[in-house]
Amino acid sequence: MARPELSNFRRIVVKVGSALLVDSEAGEVRAAWLAALAADLAKLHRDGRDVLIVSSGSIALGRSRLKLPRGPLKLEESQAAAAVGQIALARIWSEVLGDHGIGAGQILVTLQDTEERRRYLNARSTIAKLLEWRAIPVINENDTVATNEIRYGDNDRLAARVATMASADLLVLLSDIDGLYDAPPKSNPNAKLIPVVESVSSEIEGMAGDAESELSRGGMRTKVEAAKIATTGGTHMLIASGKIEHPLQAIADGGRCTWFLTPANPVTSRKRWIAGSLEPKGTLTIDAGAVAALRAGASLLPAGVIKVEGQFARGDAVIVRGPDAREIGRGLIAYDAEDAERIKGRSSPDVMTILGISGRSELIHRDDLVVGG
């Protein structure tokens, strides 16, 4: 299969690991390298791409600021180091992106934020608004509160979860190696780079190794696991070297890397999940005008809703039926059942007056709605 081009993608998540961002000897950020990466990100941004960053480095920077000794840290020590380092990390990203006139927004997440639907929708909405404002979200695992039981353990899988949450069509993992090889390249001089992986098979999984850096919790194994998450969610992924300056420009110029391809796209994969994997918790009956609007690709507004049934919470799946009781589609509701009942049949400007808050104008956004034939 042909290798894709970086210019083909609309929304790109770039993951930067601690080992690339932080000089382990000096305990400081690699300033020249980061400035070059920021220039690459700014070029994508100027070209109209949506750009998101998943950045490690808070614990490593915290260790440096606190002058902690080398070696493994206890959980509470890692959390405290992250609390110090996260401030530094946010400032660093804000400054390097600000040099290009780009605003940065910090988002800290845990595993539960991508597994529990209400939190998932909140994080997704925040990301969407930042991108709408042309800011770049800088996302990291919330190491100050994560525990051994719920933490991702590495930011490769976190990046894959973020990519699918944000409906990104490409995830770039910058690594200390330029891709996936058919054998460990450090021990086998005849190892060959695999330029394109069409599906993550057991053979591909068997080629993965483990983490080698003290600062990194990931390794090729976690990168291949990230590829499974991303490609299942409709996101292409690539692994490329981050050791060089201007790593994204190198990819755009055809540099060495490994592409993991997906047969789907983020929208179809997400809608397949909504349509077939979630148990509906309620039903909305809508009028004929709303039926026509949904079939034309619109979101569902409160004004078109005739009846609300069921006990559901924001983020739950609901069935949408027409006035003849036929199922029109399914979607993720933006309001709890009680609030949906109060605003049904009302115009969007009335929502704030009725509920006392400035809520979303749609009951179900079209990106969260699957309409049947």
Side-chain angles (χ1 to χ4, degrees), residues 181-186 188-193 256:
Y181 285 76
D182 62 2
K186 288 189 177 181
N188 186 341
N190 298 317
K192 295 180 180 179
L193 178 75
R256 289 167 65 84

Side-chain angles (χ1 to χ4, degrees), residues 95 157 226 302 326:
E95 289 178 353
R157 283 175 288 203
R326 291 186 180 180

Side-chain angles (χ1 to χ4, degrees), residues 59 73-84 142-148 151:
I59 295 176
L73 297 176
K74 297 177 182 178
L75 176 61
E76 63 272 19
E77 292 172 338
S78 293
Q79 291 172 325
V84 173
N142 193 350
D143 289 309
T144 58
V145 299
T147 67
N148 285 332
R151 67 188 300 122

Side-chain angles (χ1 to χ4, degrees), residues 34-35 37-43 45-46 51-53 89-106 134-138:
L34 184 57
L37 174 62
D40 288 355
L41 294 166
K43 183 177 187 303
H45 191 268
R46 285 194 304 272
V51 179
L52 300 88
I53 298 166
L89 185 65
R91 178 181 57 80
I92 288 163
W93 278 112
S94 179
E95 289 178 353
V96 298
L97 293 173
D99 288 342
H100 297 274
I102 302 170
Q106 177 182 260
R134 299 301 292 154
I136 291 183
V138 180

Side-chain angles (χ1 to χ4, degrees), residues 281-302:
K281 298 295 178 65
T283 301
L284 304 181
T285 301
I286 63 177
D287 61 30
V291 171
L294 297 193
R295 294 201 185 282
S299 299
L300 177 60
L301 302 180

Side-chain angles (χ1 to χ4, degrees), residues 183-220:
K186 288 189 177 181
S187 59
N188 186 341
N190 298 317
K192 295 180 180 179
L193 178 75
I194 301 173
V196 177
V197 175
E198 296 187 25
S199 64
V200 182
S201 63
S202 56
E203 181 183 4
I204 293 296
E205 291 184 88
M207 296 177 186
D210 294 316
E212 298 182 8
S213 167
E214 176 185 286
L215 293 179
S216 173
R217 286 181 287 182
M220 191 55 66

Side-chain angles (χ1 to χ4, degrees), residues 56-221:
S56 303
S58 61
I59 295 176
L61 287 172
R63 293 182 72 133
S64 171
R65 299 295 192 272
L66 294 166
K67 297 180 171 52
L68 300 180
R70 284 179 171 272
L73 297 176
K74 297 177 182 178
L75 176 61
E76 63 272 19
E77 292 172 338
S78 293
Q79 291 172 325
V84 173
Q86 192 61 53
I87 295 174
L89 185 65
R91 178 181 57 80
I92 288 163
W93 278 112
S94 179
E95 289 178 353
V96 298
L97 293 173
D99 288 342
H100 297 274
I102 302 170
Q106 177 182 260
I107 301 176
L108 300 178
V109 298
T110 65
L111 176 62
Q112 289 180 330
D113 295 323
T114 58
E115 296 295 332
E116 198 273 318
R117 282 202 294 279
R118 183 182 291 260
R119 297 188 194 180
Y120 172 97
L121 287 176
N122 285 335
R124 178 179 165 88
S125 296
T126 300
I127 289 170
K129 184 55 68 175
L130 286 170
L131 295 175
E132 179 186 326
W133 288 341
R134 299 301 292 154
I136 291 183
V138 180
I139 301 160
N140 195 1
E141 183 176 9
N142 193 350
D143 289 309
T144 58
V145 299
T147 67
N148 285 332
E149 288 75 24
I150 67 172
R151 67 188 300 122
Y152 284 93
D154 66 87
N155 274 3
D156 295 326
R157 283 175 288 203
L158 170 61
R161 296 284 190 185
V162 167
T164 57
M165 176 193 295
S167 295
D169 44 11
L170 177 63
L171 167 62
V172 178
L173 298 185
L174 296 179
S175 176
D176 55 2
I177 191 170
D178 54 9
L180 177 66
Y181 285 76
D182 62 2
K186 288 189 177 181
S187 59
N188 186 341
N190 298 317
K192 295 180 180 179
L193 178 75
I194 301 173
V196 177
V197 175
E198 296 187 25
S199 64
V200 182
S201 63
S202 56
E203 181 183 4
I204 293 296
E205 291 184 88
M207 296 177 186
D210 294 316
E212 298 182 8
S213 167
E214 176 185 286
L215 293 179
S216 173
R217 286 181 287 182
M220 191 55 66
R221 186 176 302 280

